[in-house]
Amino acid sequence: MVSTPYIINEIYDILQKSSPFELTLEALLALGLIWIVFYKRTTTKKLPVSEEDILARWTPEPLVAEVPPDHPALKTKVVRGPVGRMVNVNGKECINMATHNYLGLAEDEDIKQAAIKSLRKYGVGSCGPRGFYGTVDVHLELEERLAKFMQVEEAVVYSYAFSTIASAIPAYSKRGDLIFVDECVNFAIQKGLDASRSKIFYYKHNDMDDLERLLQKQQADDKRNPAKAKKTRRFLVAESIYMNTGEVCPLPRLVELRARYKLRLFLDESLSFGVLGDCGRGLIEHCNVDKTEVDLVSAGLEWSAATIGGFCAGSSFIVEHQRLSGLGYCFSASLPPLLTQAAISALDRFESSPRIFVELRERCRTVSDKLSHLKHFQARGDPLSPVKHLYLKHKHECWAHEKMLLDEISTECIDNGLAVVAAEYLEHMEKHCPRPSIRLTVNRLLSEKDIDDAFRILEHVSEKVLASAG
């Protein structure tokens, strides 16, 4: 049997040979063991609560929030008859500067007859996604025609303009990727960014210096972690003409930065398709930029083409990927054949009458020249853009109050024979919610007299509404 003095001597010898770190660790372990052995856990028993008491204290939130009786959404403006150069709103015949029928093709008789013929052949709708018996021969014809018109290898057609870019972005960019995007992009692009779950960098509107600053900062971060940088994809997203400002993006500078920093460039040509370029192909043609410098082009058919849907165009390698990964393509019912035929007929008109693009741009310049004469508004928008924004010169601190005044002006304009709208935004969902504005749109079929009358009405109504508002 080992004697007690021997054990004490052994312990003393171990302590002499141990480092301060080992001694500290052993002391902590000993204290922890003592705490576990002697600590007496005490638990407080909660008194049982009956289900009746819980239900009595529960106050459910209303399914629908309270809406004031004078809310604009409850005062629906009803349109009767066709929407063209003129539009009948609430029984009042108005000059139309509210809808996006830029080329006036919604009134084209040949397109109407082609759509009616298609309706009689195919019926009203396709009733299925493209991969599930929703592909009709006119869909394939439209994709082939769009690819030929845009001078690219392939195009893919979507059912809605909104779902086109909102589906295209997350089809390529995933979690961990980087997207550099203008702060004024439209809501459809914002939803595509959300769905991608990528890391988003917003640069100031059309500010290429700010974009380059962000790219340089990211380049410095990449040098600190080259292994991660090697696996990270980088995208650049822009609109040719911004819906929220009416301004044209500096595409040549974007292409330059894309090449320098090795980005993939996605360009939304929705507002410029059928507007810019000698043949109406958009900003790429207008700026004479090499098509291969833009990785993916998307555009809506709901503006200049005066139908429904959208498309993406580019190389077969890039576009074909969307047939398996584009959510709007895979899971939405395909574009109704009659509207597909209307788009084909619109392309026929694009190719046979390129003069219509010149006429539209002349109308856009005419409207731009007159904007500076408005007493109560300051304007924003490129002279060649078919979309212009009017902001009150006296900016109000309250966003809602300024929007209310513009709604009142637009309603009063309709009563006086001019259809205009205050731009609508989801204030609490937009990433950078724009300032309230009246959004004017230009139609190729508007005459000089129509434009003069429109500005006379707008000036008269704004004077009246703002004077009464104090």
Side-chain angles (χ1 to χ4, degrees):
M1 184 160 179
V2 181
S3 64
T4 301
Y6 176 79
I7 296 174
I8 293 173
N9 289 333
E10 285 295 315
I11 293 173
Y12 179 78
D13 187 52
I14 291 170
L15 293 175
Q16 286 288 332
K17 294 178 181 178
S18 298
S19 66
F21 173 76
E22 290 172 335
L23 290 173
T24 304
L25 183 61
E26 289 167 358
L28 290 175
L29 289 173
L31 290 173
L33 183 61
I34 294 169
W35 183 83
I36 291 171
V37 171
F38 294 101
Y39 177 71
K40 185 178 180 181
R41 291 184 175 86
T42 58
T43 56
T44 56
K45 293 183 178 180
K46 293 183 179 180
L47 295 174
V49 181
S50 65
E51 292 182 0
E52 289 77 9
D53 292 337
I54 296 173
L55 292 172
R57 290 198 299 267
W58 179 55
T59 304
E61 292 183 7
L63 290 175
V64 179
E66 296 234 354
V67 179
D70 60 343
H71 194 281
L74 300 179
K75 299 178 181 179
T76 305
K77 296 177 177 66
V78 180
V79 174
R80 294 178 175 85
V83 179
R85 180 183 69 86
M86 304 294 291
V87 58
N88 187 297
V89 185
N90 293 340
K92 184 75 177 181
E93 197 71 14
C94 299
I95 300 167
N96 185 4
M97 296 190 76
T99 62
H100 297 266
N101 177 28
Y102 307 142
L103 293 172
L105 297 186
E107 301 173 76
D108 189 283
E109 197 59 37
D110 291 338
I111 295 177
K112 287 182 184 178
Q113 292 305 316
I116 291 170
K117 185 177 178 181
S118 177
L119 173 65
R120 288 175 177 150
K121 179 179 180 180
Y122 298 104
V124 176
S126 58
C127 301
R130 289 290 301 273
F132 298 91
Y133 307 104
T135 297
V136 184
D137 54 0
V138 286
H139 293 129
L140 302 178
E141 181 183 354
L142 176 57
E143 290 176 341
E144 184 179 342
R145 288 289 304 278
L146 283 168
K148 181 181 177 183
F149 179 76
M150 297 298 290
Q151 297 179 339
V152 295
E153 293 179 359
E154 193 169 346
V156 58
V157 170
Y158 284 79
S159 308
Y160 301 99
F162 189 100
S163 66
T164 303
I165 189 65
S167 298
I169 292 173
Y172 302 97
S173 184
K174 307 296 182 183
R175 188 189 297 276
D177 294 333
L178 308 178
I179 304 179
F180 298 87
V181 61
D182 192 292
E183 66 182 5
C184 288
V185 291
N186 62 54
F187 194 63
I189 291 178
Q190 293 177 37
K191 291 294 99 182
L193 298 174
D194 290 343
S196 73
R197 298 173 296 175
S198 303
K199 188 175 182 180
I200 313 299
F201 296 92
Y202 288 98
Y203 60 89
K204 295 175 184 177
H205 182 49
N206 274 350
D207 189 335
M208 297 298 98
D209 292 335
D210 190 50
L211 171 58
E212 188 161 20
R213 177 187 64 81
L214 291 173
L215 292 170
Q216 288 173 347
K217 183 180 177 183
Q218 184 59 45
Q219 192 176 58
D221 292 342
D222 291 343
K223 288 179 180 178
R224 286 192 290 270
N225 193 347
K228 181 181 178 183
K230 191 176 181 180
K231 296 184 287 186
T232 303
R233 295 174 297 180
R234 295 160 186 78
F235 297 86
L236 178 57
V237 179
E239 290 180 74
S240 292
I241 299 176
Y242 288 89
M243 176 65 80
N244 291 342
T245 66
E247 295 175 341
V248 176
C249 82
L251 183 59
R253 279 298 312 271
L254 288 175
V255 167
E256 176 191 334
L257 293 173
R258 167 199 177 270
R260 188 185 308 166
Y261 293 95
K262 296 179 175 58
L263 306 169
R264 295 169 171 87
L265 176 57
F266 288 1
L267 187 65
D268 185 359
E269 293 256 31
S270 289
L271 267 64
S272 56
F273 177 72
V275 174
L276 298 180
D278 293 339
C279 299
R281 294 189 180 98
L283 187 62
I284 296 175
E285 181 184 43
H286 177 75
C287 296
N288 196 27
V289 169
D290 187 348
K291 289 181 289 296
T292 60
E293 297 289 349
V294 180
D295 297 279
L296 186 71
V297 173
S298 72
L301 297 168
E302 300 171 8
W303 288 269
S304 292
T307 180
I308 299 294
F311 68 91
C312 288
S315 66
S316 295
F317 175 75
I318 292 176
V319 172
E320 194 68 25
H321 176 70
Q322 292 184 53
R323 299 190 190 277
L324 294 175
S325 299
L327 298 181
Y329 180 92
C330 295
F331 300 109
S332 294
S334 62
L335 188 64
L338 75 145
L339 297 173
T340 309
Q341 181 58 55
I344 294 172
S345 300
L347 286 177
D348 290 338
R349 187 69 189 278
F350 283 15
E351 294 170 346
S352 64
S353 307
R355 174 68 188 169
I356 60 177
F357 309 124
V358 178
E359 293 171 358
L360 172 60
R361 292 194 290 269
E362 288 174 353
R363 294 292 180 275
C364 292
R365 289 192 185 96
T366 301
V367 171
S368 285
D369 291 341
K370 293 182 180 295
L371 290 174
S372 60
H373 301 303
L374 291 172
K375 180 180 176 182
H376 299 285
F377 293 101
Q378 59 185 21
R380 190 177 190 182
D382 191 271
L384 296 180
S385 169
V387 172
K388 323 285 184 183
H389 285 264
L390 301 180
Y391 305 90
L392 292 174
K393 283 186 177 178
H394 175 64
K395 186 175 181 179
H396 293 258
E397 292 184 6
C398 178
W399 193 95
H401 179 67
E402 194 167 34
K403 176 66 166 58
M404 182 193 69
L405 286 174
L406 294 174
D407 282 330
E408 191 173 343
I409 289 172
S410 65
T411 300
E412 190 73 21
C413 279
I414 290 171
D415 294 337
N416 284 267
L418 171 64
V420 294
V421 294
E424 293 291 344
Y425 303 106
L426 297 172
E427 184 183 359
H428 302 294
M429 296 179 67
E430 301 268 357
K431 300 300 181 186
H432 296 86
C433 189
R435 184 185 167 194
S437 65
I438 286 178
R439 187 169 59 214
L440 292 182
T441 59
V442 182
N443 187 314
R444 176 182 66 91
L445 301 179
L446 290 173
S447 65
E448 290 278 353
K449 183 179 181 304
D450 291 334
I451 296 172
D452 288 338
D453 288 345
F455 276 84
R456 176 183 53 79
I457 294 169
L458 187 57
E459 184 70 16
H460 167 70
V461 168
S462 60
E463 181 80 35
K464 175 183 173 183
V465 171
L466 295 175
S468 63

